[in-house]
């Protein structure tokens, strides 16, 4: 039975897995879930994921609901190139693991919350942006960027060395969440991080741009919506 993938490309981890599947030519049955329509709350989806979130991977009845676990599983099952998640280099694997654990409360949380506070929450509540909350999360992002620059990248091209890994896909997809709400200067101001993001994009294209198309469209929509939200573009 074919691999089924449930996703909404507005979701950062959904994009990461989608791009990873495409880049590695892994066949799957696409199962888009429109979060904006509340499709993740229906009974059928709840049977798959009781937490009612995307992404979800269903491999002939074996279901995974966490993106990091999916990346590890797919790498092993399909015997992908070792650079994605090294089995033969313990130190590189540990560095990737370190980022995967660190990112949850750093890259992922801070970027996601800026996006939510500048777009999702105001639209859902039909209210203006709460700038105090935005500034609170924005204040943490330069620390995140500096940590990626100085610690995770250092003199390397990618997080685990000279080749791309699952950590790079997750990291860049998270930072890209700042782009549609006009906060990309938080990463473009750092030359090393900016170059790393472009390197990841070029390495993964055309799949990266395909998976990120909704991000680019959302930026255009936000530009039109901005004045009603009190957004400063």
């Amino acid at each position: 039975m074919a691999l089924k993938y449930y996703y909404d490309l507005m979701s950062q981890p959904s994009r990461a897995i989608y791009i990873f599947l495409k880049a590695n030519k892994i066949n799957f049955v696409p199962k888009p879930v429109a979060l904006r329509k509340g499709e993740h709350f229906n009974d059928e989806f709840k049977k798959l994921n009781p937490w009612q979130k995307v992404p979800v991977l269903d491999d002939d009845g074996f279901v995974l609901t966490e993106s990091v676990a999916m990346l590890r599983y797919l790498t092993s099952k399909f015997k992908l190139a070792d650079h994605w998640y090294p089995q033969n280099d313990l130190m590189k694997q540990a560095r990737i693991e370190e980022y995967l654990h660190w990112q949850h409360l750093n890259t992922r949380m801070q970027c996601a919350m800026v996006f939510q506070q500048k777009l999702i929450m105001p639209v859902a509540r039909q209210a203006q942006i709460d700038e105090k909350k935005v500034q609170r999360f924005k204040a943490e992002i330069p620390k995140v960027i500096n940590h990626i620059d100085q610690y995770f990248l250092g003199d390397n091209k990618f997080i685990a060395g000279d080749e791309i890994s699952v950590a790079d896909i997750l990291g860049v997809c998270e930072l890209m969440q700042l782009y549609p709400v006009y906060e990309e200067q938080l990463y473009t101001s750092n030359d090393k991080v900016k170059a790393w993001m472009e390197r990841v994009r070029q390495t993964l294209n055309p799949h990266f741009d395909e998976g990120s198309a909704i991000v680019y469209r959302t930026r255009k929509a936000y530009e039109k919506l901005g004045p009603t939200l009190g957004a400063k573009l």
Side-chain angles (χ1 to χ4, degrees):
M1 188 178 293
L3 191 73
K4 297 176 184 176
Y5 181 51
Y6 297 78
Y7 63 93
D8 185 327
L9 293 179
M10 186 63 81
S11 150
Q12 310 93 294
S14 283
R15 289 198 302 275
I17 302 297
Y18 182 90
I19 293 167
F20 184 77
L21 287 165
K22 290 280 188 173
N24 285 288
K25 297 180 173 56
I26 298 173
N27 293 325
F28 66 96
V29 178
K31 295 284 188 178
V33 179
L35 300 181
R36 66 192 179 281
K37 296 180 180 178
E39 291 180 0
H40 53 310
F41 294 128
N42 66 42
D43 291 338
E44 182 182 355
F45 188 76
K46 191 175 181 180
K47 290 176 184 176
L48 274 175
N49 185 357
W51 295 281
Q52 299 170 294
K53 294 181 179 181
V54 291
V56 172
L57 193 70
D58 181 354
D59 186 9
D60 196 16
F62 176 68
V63 176
L64 289 171
T65 63
E66 289 291 337
S67 57
V68 170
M70 291 176 205
L71 289 167
R72 293 194 191 104
Y73 177 74
L74 291 168
T75 301
S76 296
K77 170 160 184 170
F78 293 97
K79 296 179 174 59
L80 302 181
D82 199 57
H83 62 82
W84 289 114
Y85 185 74
Q87 301 296 319
N88 301 315
D89 190 322
L90 183 59
M91 289 184 180
K92 285 185 178 180
Q93 185 189 104
R95 183 65 75 206
I96 292 169
E97 279 294 326
E98 186 176 30
Y99 180 79
L100 296 180
H101 288 279
W102 175 84
Q103 57 105 20
H104 290 294
L105 295 178
N106 292 278
T107 326
R108 173 153 176 69
M109 186 175 81
Q110 308 306 337
C111 296
M113 291 309 296
V114 169
F115 177 78
Q116 287 184 28
Q117 291 297 328
K118 290 198 70 173
L119 180 58
I120 302 300
M121 298 305 291
V123 169
R125 296 172 178 173
Q126 296 185 327
Q128 289 204 332
I129 294 168
D130 186 332
E131 282 296 334
K132 287 185 178 179
K133 288 184 178 179
V134 172
Q135 293 304 318
R136 188 173 83 225
F137 293 112
K138 277 180 63 176
E140 296 300 315
I141 293 178
K143 302 174 190 176
V144 170
I145 297 296
N146 185 65
H147 206 85
I148 292 172
D149 173 352
Q150 297 296 315
Y151 186 79
F152 285 108
L153 289 175
D155 296 326
N156 296 326
K157 293 181 179 179
F158 299 97
I159 286 175
D162 291 332
E163 294 182 282
I164 195 169
S165 75
V166 297
D168 298 289
I169 297 182
L170 284 174
V172 171
C173 284
E174 293 296 345
L175 288 173
M176 279 292 292
Q177 205 72 354
L178 299 171
Y179 181 80
V181 291
Y182 284 80
E183 295 291 355
E184 71 274 15
Q185 75 281 355
L186 291 166
Y187 57 76
T188 58
S189 60
N190 184 298
D191 290 340
K192 188 191 296 184
V193 171
K194 180 182 177 182
W196 164 65
M197 292 181 67
E198 182 59 24
R199 196 176 299 121
V200 170
R201 175 178 171 271
Q202 290 179 359
T203 301
L204 294 170
N205 259 345
H207 312 295
F208 185 90
D209 281 343
E210 178 194 345
S212 302
I214 193 169
V215 175
Y216 308 142
R217 292 198 303 271
T218 301
R219 181 181 173 92
K220 294 179 181 179
Y222 186 77
E223 183 177 9
K224 296 177 181 178
L225 195 60
T228 66
L229 305 176
K232 300 174 183 177
L233 304 183

